[in-house]
């Protein structure tokens, strides 16, 4: 209901946290984070992956932890 209405209006809903996020902003932020993860793997192919907390502190400073999880979903 809320998630569907938000999506239809161009937003991403995180109703359990009472947040609505701009789809454009989410797409842009997710693209930046995805590019950073790809670059991490390019530079460090033997490492299992980038740490979520490092990604969040670099690309989403001062944001609650759920925001990164919402973008990665």
């Amino acid at each position: 209901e809320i998630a569907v209405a938000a999506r239809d209006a161009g937003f991403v809903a995180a109703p359990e946290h009472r947040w609505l996020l701009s789809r454009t902003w989410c797409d842009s932020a997710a693209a930046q984070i995805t590019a950073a993860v790809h670059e991490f793997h390019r530079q460090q192919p033997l490492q299992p992956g980038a740490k979520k907390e490092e990604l969040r502190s670099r690309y989403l400073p001062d944001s609650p932890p759920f925001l990164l999880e919402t973008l990665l979903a």
Side-chain angles (χ1 to χ4, degrees), residues 19-60:
W19 278 47
L20 283 177
L21 305 158
S22 158
R23 167 59 61 196
T24 303
W25 181 86
C26 286
D27 290 346
S28 175
Q32 284 183 315
I33 292 167
T34 300
V37 170
H38 286 289
E39 182 62 16
F40 175 88
H41 284 295
R42 188 186 71 72
Q43 291 181 0
Q44 301 182 46
L46 300 178
Q47 294 297 316
K51 293 182 179 170
K52 286 183 179 180
E53 196 54 40
E54 288 177 15
L55 293 170
R56 190 171 74 82
S57 67
R58 179 177 290 155
Y59 296 98
L60 303 168

